Amino acid sequence: MNHSDRYPSRINENPSTLKRVDRVVYWSDKTKEGPLTKDTLLSYEKKGYLSLRGFFSPDEVQELRDELTKLWQENRGSTRKEVISEPQSREVRSIFAVHRDNTVFQNLSRHPRLVSVAEQILGSDVYVHQSRINYKHGFTGKEFYWHSDFETWHVEDGMPGMRALSCSISLEENYHYNGPLLLLPGSHQTFISCVGQTPESHYEQSLRKQEYGVPDQENLKRMVEQHGIDTMIGPAGTVVFFDCNTMHGSNGNITPVPRSNVFMVYNSVENRLVAPFSGQEPRPDYIATRD
Ligand code: 6CS
Ligand code: FE
């Protein structure tokens, strides 16, 4: 069955914008039972993100940070496909599928306080679409250019609609200077249709430095003028929940202070992946869970 493509991208040679047609908060009985108050949900619906400080205690953070360091030591110079190095060096940039391959991060992906927020916002049971550690080491951590995750997950993974969210869990203090997550509040209501054709096996390059499926500068400029840029600073243990279509990025880290975050992406079971809208082969399971 061919799913109609409600968010066509990387098809035309000119960029365009589309109004979001999906809900942000899937108000349902689950919404009433969940941990977030109605006001908090309304704020998430308006801004497309939510930052909760002190979500994890210093002890919980320390256990995650120790595991993150252990994984980094074990995977330095690794040729495993889940290990992504920085564009110009062998420095570890990201490790994918930690929810699948590592017990500590598997437990984290099933943490009731995380899952209950995701289920409340998405109004259904959820599953992990993707997990990754972004190390952004001191001195060598490079930028993540502006993008909407959903644009990639729709085109390259076949995610039908906007019913997914990311949790960025800070394992180090995120200052304004060590490459914190930058979000455009309210940008989730607009889908920027990107230009260009998705190269074959694009992920082998895009996870190091994304060049296709990135929004054009004119639309980005307009979005920043309209919404402004929020910088997600906060102590380790802060969790930022953001909608799959919230425009975001982060700068490089030339300071000595690492900015290591772990990301858990939850998708609604009502929004399971179909054939990629690029018409290409699906990306591997360590990037997009399909089973
Ligand atoms: O392609 C992806 O799925 C990954 N790329 C970016 C820049 N953010 C989402 C995800 O980690
Ligand atoms: Fe992203």
Side-chain angles (χ1 to χ4, degrees):
M1 162 175 124
N2 84 311
H3 287 252
S4 66
D5 187 350
R6 293 178 296 145
Y7 297 104
S9 185
R10 303 187 217 177
I11 293 170
N12 306 317
E13 67 274 9
N14 296 314
S16 60
T17 58
L18 300 168
K19 191 96 192 70
R20 177 187 188 122
V21 291
D22 293 303
R23 284 177 287 168
V24 177
V25 173
Y26 286 75
W27 300 94
S28 67
D29 294 345
K30 271 190 180 292
T31 321
K32 295 191 193 76
E33 296 146 20
L36 301 179
T37 64
K38 186 157 187 266
D39 284 353
T40 304
L41 287 167
L42 288 169
S43 166
Y44 177 88
E45 191 167 61
K46 179 168 173 288
K47 291 167 65 172
Y49 77 86
L50 172 64
S51 176
L52 297 175
R53 290 179 174 220
F55 195 92
F56 288 112
S57 70
D59 287 353
E60 290 172 309
V61 170
Q62 194 51 51
E63 185 203 10
L64 296 170
R65 192 186 284 134
D66 293 346
E67 194 67 17
L68 178 131
T69 306
K70 183 166 121 331
L71 279 175
W72 178 66
Q73 285 156 348
E74 286 168 3
N75 287 282
R76 288 195 82 181
S78 162
T79 53
R80 268 188 340 118
K81 54 192 184 320
E82 293 84 353
V83 180
I84 312 295
S85 55
E86 291 288 4
Q88 288 100 5
S89 72
R90 305 287 306 147
E91 187 56 83
V92 176
R93 176 178 173 90
S94 306
I95 300 180
F96 277 76
V98 289
H99 74 287
R100 183 195 67 188
D101 301 339
N102 176 279
T103 310
V104 168
F105 288 111
Q106 184 174 73
N107 293 339
L108 177 67
S109 74
R110 296 171 179 167
H111 195 297
R113 267 189 287 134
L114 276 183
V115 175
S116 58
V117 170
E119 289 184 341
Q120 183 178 22
I121 291 172
L122 301 177
S124 72
D125 291 344
V126 298
Y127 70 94
V128 178
H129 164 69
Q130 177 185 103
S131 71
R132 68 194 181 279
I133 294 173
N134 281 350
Y135 281 88
K136 200 169 281 199
H137 286 282
F139 299 118
T140 59
K142 296 296 177 228
E143 78 278 3
F144 287 81
Y145 190 72
W146 294 110
H147 63 282
S148 151
D149 291 338
F150 176 74
E151 194 279 343
T152 294
W153 296 340
H154 180 72
V155 172
E156 299 192 54
D157 298 332
M159 184 181 280
M162 297 178 182
R163 194 170 181 177
L165 59 80
S166 290
C167 310
S168 168
I169 301 149
S170 304
L171 299 184
E172 299 288 351
E173 176 98 24
N174 281 226
Y175 300 98
H176 58 280
Y177 51 67
N178 64 338
L181 186 62
L182 307 173
L183 296 163
L184 305 191
S187 60
H188 60 306
Q189 291 292 6
T190 302
F191 179 75
I192 295 184
S193 177
C194 302
V195 299
Q197 183 81 31
T198 311
E200 287 297 322
S201 308
H202 178 220
Y203 59 90
E204 288 167 357
Q205 193 270 334
S206 71
L207 298 180
R208 300 186 77 188
K209 189 174 172 50
Q210 186 177 0
E211 286 168 8
Y212 290 85
V214 291
D216 63 291
Q217 292 182 359
E218 197 186 316
N219 277 310
L220 263 180
K221 187 167 176 295
R222 195 173 306 123
M223 235 180 201
V224 169
E225 283 162 1
Q226 187 184 352
H227 301 295
I229 302 178
D230 281 356
T231 307
M232 296 295 106
I233 56 176
T238 301
V239 176
V240 178
F241 294 87
F242 60 101
D243 179 83
C244 57
N245 189 46
T246 303
M247 190 61 68
H248 65 286
S250 59
N251 286 316
N253 182 12
I254 58 169
T255 76
V257 186
R259 191 238 63 183
S260 303
N261 290 9
V262 52
F263 288 80
M264 293 292 164
V265 180
Y266 295 101
N267 188 26
S268 165
V269 294
E270 308 298 331
N271 191 40
R272 287 186 187 282
L273 306 185
V274 297
F277 290 89
S278 60
Q280 292 180 7
E281 286 305 301
R283 296 199 296 175
D285 189 76
Y286 71 89
I287 301 179
T289 308
R290 303 190 81 86
D291 59 18

